Amino acid sequence: MATNTKDRILDSAELLFAQQGIASTSLRAITDHADVNLASVNYHFQSKDALVQAVLNRRLNPINQKRMELLHALLHRPDGVPPTVEEILEAFYRPVTEEAIKTRREGRPIVALIGRMYTEPGELLASQIRAMMSQVAAGYLDALSIALPGIPPPILFWRLQFSVGVLAHTFGAMHLIEGLARGRVNVNDSEDVLRQMIAFAAGGLRSPVQ
Amino acid sequence: MATNTKDRILDSAELLFAQQGIASTSLRAITDHADVNLASVNYHFQSKDALVQAVLNRRLNPINQKRMELLHALLHRPDGVPPTVEEILEAFYRPVTEEAIKTRREGRPIVALIGRMYTEPGELLASQIRAMMSQVAAGYLDALSIALPGIPPPILFWRLQFSVGVLAHTFGAMHLIEGLARGRVNVNDSEDVLRQMIAFAAGGLRSPVQ
DNA sequence: CCATTATTAAAACGGACGTTTGACTGAATG
DNA sequence: CATTCAGTCAAACGTCCGTTTTAATAATGG
């Protein structure tokens, strides 16, 4: 557990948001879990809305930064070999998967929050996500259009969104998938899940255009 | 607008749940919108939780029933021709798409709620969805294993979940996708969206197993 | 028509919510 | 040593929440 109040609030808020949802999590539940005073939330974050933004920024900014780094590395390899669809997808999926692995190891299963935020209601949240995603989406769309020159851009746009959906749903509805699996698959083997997602999305991206 | 109180409540609740989320929608907001008395919710539905279940059941039961009918029709065609992957996917996707078209035509854009419910927090909701989905998922998994005999069942299970993710994210995050599209695609052409989803998921389901 | 049941209505219940206030702490600064 | 100031704290603010109560009003069946 973090030692300073601000990080304790962020940690507890993130965990409870992931477990119960944002709207259903009260500031009192957060401050009780973090063992800090109720008023310290408004002191450090001004409002609950701002706290929500801070929680998401702290987790998503590193992920999206990593995505851009990995993509840049793929596009500027010393040998000049253009990246495959699978490599582009791995660059997009892996940073989230790594967070899933790390936070689960720490006993803080917060990846459901990452998967859920795309569909959380509220215009404030939506515009924040849109601002974060727009440059990442543009970069990956460019890369994919090079790797898949035969796919018209509008169709590639849809297929990138579908690839996002694969990731978001897998981590956002993991508890549901686990219940449906009845032991047929091991949902905790994140590396295997990553492999499965990449193979599926690669097949989807490459799917023949009627 | 419906004439009886019970349906007016269901209609308003469904719309507001879709627009603002379940937790953020109060019974007072629902009864104000439906122009009925506040106490009538607890009279007709006992509790808010039960109202939520009723809203989802009313919309999802016909969808899942239609899914099973379409699948049954595919599997028992007079000519005995086994269904293609695309046909199975269309049977799974179309009932939701039809609801999207119908409710948008009625000026009641509630499809975001259908896309979002997979990731809504709360164990009560999760168990309800799981109960609804389990037989549908089992039926479609069987059909897919016939159409794709080369894919091992555990991998097919993942890929069916990914196909659900494509659908859920597309309709649940449509407002976000629309913002990212910047006019490159027409998100309101549901028949085109359906075609795109089928092509993508078919490619994903057929993707070679390393 | 009356008795009975189903439905609607207004009002209040206790509790939880996000936020604000004002006093208090302890360390840093001059 | 006095002062400042970021941080913490208990308490309260007004508002909204889901639910319940009690009474009034329709609808139904003998």
Side-chain angles (χ1 to χ4, degrees):
Chain A
M1 179 90 91
T3 57
N4 68 83
T5 301
K6 198 166 178 176
D7 286 336
R8 293 171 70 92
I9 293 172
L10 286 170
D11 286 346
S12 294
E14 180 179 63
L15 181 65
L16 295 178
F17 287 164
Q19 290 176 344
Q20 326 173 5
I22 295 174
S24 308
T25 301
S26 68
L27 296 185
R28 283 170 176 83
I30 294 169
T31 54
D32 283 357
H33 182 273
D35 203 28
V36 300
N37 188 271
L38 168 62
S40 57
V41 174
N42 287 282
Y43 176 78
H44 286 286
F45 300 95
Q46 288 77 51
S47 68
K48 185 185 178 180
D49 268 343
L51 170 63
V52 171
Q53 291 190 249
V55 167
L56 291 183
N57 277 324
R58 183 179 68 146
R59 188 65 62 179
L60 294 180
N61 282 343
I63 288 177
N64 284 330
Q65 191 180 329
K66 191 83 188 161
R67 279 173 166 161
M68 293 311 267
E69 285 172 16
L70 292 174
L71 183 66
H72 188 267
L74 281 180
L75 295 174
H76 299 85
R77 278 196 285 223
D79 55 13
V81 175
T84 64
V85 175
E86 278 81 1
E87 287 171 328
I88 297 172
L89 281 168
E90 175 160 3
F92 189 80
Y93 284 162
R94 182 168 284 285
V96 174
T97 306
E98 299 283 359
E99 287 292 309
I101 295 171
K102 194 178 77 182
T103 55
R104 188 179 44 239
R105 188 171 47 227
E106 293 167 357
R108 303 174 34 73
I110 58 89
V111 79
L113 178 62
I114 304 178
R116 206 188 290 140
M117 48 163 218
Y118 297 102
T119 48
E120 279 271 349
E123 190 43 45
L124 202 153
L125 225 53
S127 64
Q128 188 190 359
I129 306 288
R130 198 156 42 226
M132 286 176 144
M133 283 296 297
S134 58
Q135 69 159 329
V136 177
Y140 275 80
L141 206 52
D142 284 349
L144 286 173
S145 68
I146 297 171
L148 295 164
I151 313 284
I155 292 183
L156 210 50
F157 173 82
W158 274 122
R159 293 185 177 182
L160 176 59
Q161 303 307 318
F162 298 154
S163 303
V164 174
V166 169
L167 179 72
H169 183 260
T170 301
F171 285 119
M174 192 62 100
H175 62 294
L176 215 145
I177 294 175
E178 189 168 14
L180 290 171
R182 301 183 166 278
R184 277 176 291 195
V185 300
N186 178 13
V187 298
N188 293 317
D189 185 348
S190 295
E191 281 294 336
D192 180 55
V193 176
L194 176 62
R195 263 193 307 272
Q196 303 291 343
M197 289 193 299
I198 291 173
F200 180 86
L205 285 165
R206 276 199 269 256
S207 191
V209 181
Q210 59 267 28
Chain B
M1 181 89 92
T3 56
N4 67 83
T5 301
K6 198 166 178 177
D7 286 337
R8 294 170 69 91
I9 293 171
L10 285 170
D11 285 346
S12 295
E14 180 179 63
L15 181 65
L16 295 177
F17 287 165
Q19 289 176 345
Q20 326 172 5
I22 296 174
S24 308
T25 300
S26 69
L27 296 185
R28 283 170 177 82
I30 294 168
T31 54
D32 284 357
H33 182 274
D35 201 30
V36 301
N37 190 270
L38 168 62
S40 57
V41 174
N42 286 283
Y43 175 77
H44 285 285
F45 299 96
Q46 287 78 49
S47 69
K48 185 185 177 180
D49 269 342
L51 170 63
V52 171
Q53 292 190 247
V55 168
L56 291 184
N57 277 325
R58 183 179 67 146
R59 188 65 63 179
L60 294 180
N61 282 344
I63 288 177
N64 283 330
Q65 190 181 328
K66 190 84 187 157
R67 278 172 167 161
M68 293 311 267
E69 284 172 17
L70 292 173
L71 183 65
H72 188 267
L74 282 179
L75 294 174
H76 299 85
R77 278 195 284 224
D79 54 13
V81 175
T84 65
V85 175
E86 279 81 0
E87 287 171 327
I88 296 171
L89 282 168
E90 174 160 4
F92 190 79
Y93 284 161
R94 181 168 284 285
V96 175
T97 306
E98 299 282 359
E99 287 292 309
I101 295 172
K102 193 178 77 181
T103 54
R104 190 181 41 240
R105 188 172 48 228
E106 294 167 356
R108 303 173 35 72
I110 59 89
V111 78
L113 178 62
I114 304 177
R116 205 189 291 140
M117 49 162 218
Y118 296 102
T119 49
E120 279 272 348
E123 190 42 45
L124 203 153
L125 224 53
S127 64
Q128 187 191 357
I129 306 288
R130 199 157 40 229
M132 286 176 143
M133 284 295 297
S134 58
Q135 69 159 329
V136 177
Y140 275 81
L141 205 54
D142 284 348
L144 286 173
S145 69
I146 297 170
L148 294 164
I151 313 284
I155 294 184
L156 211 50
F157 172 82
W158 274 122
R159 294 183 177 182
L160 175 59
Q161 303 307 317
F162 298 154
S163 303
V164 174
V166 168
L167 179 72
H169 183 260
T170 301
F171 286 119
M174 192 62 99
H175 62 293
L176 215 145
I177 294 175
E178 189 169 14
L180 290 171
R182 301 184 165 276
R184 277 177 291 195
V185 299
N186 178 13
V187 298
N188 293 318
D189 185 348
S190 294
E191 280 293 338
D192 180 55
V193 176
L194 176 61
R195 264 194 306 273
Q196 302 291 343
M197 289 193 299
I198 291 172
F200 179 87
L205 286 165
R206 276 198 269 256
S207 191
V209 180
Q210 56 268 31

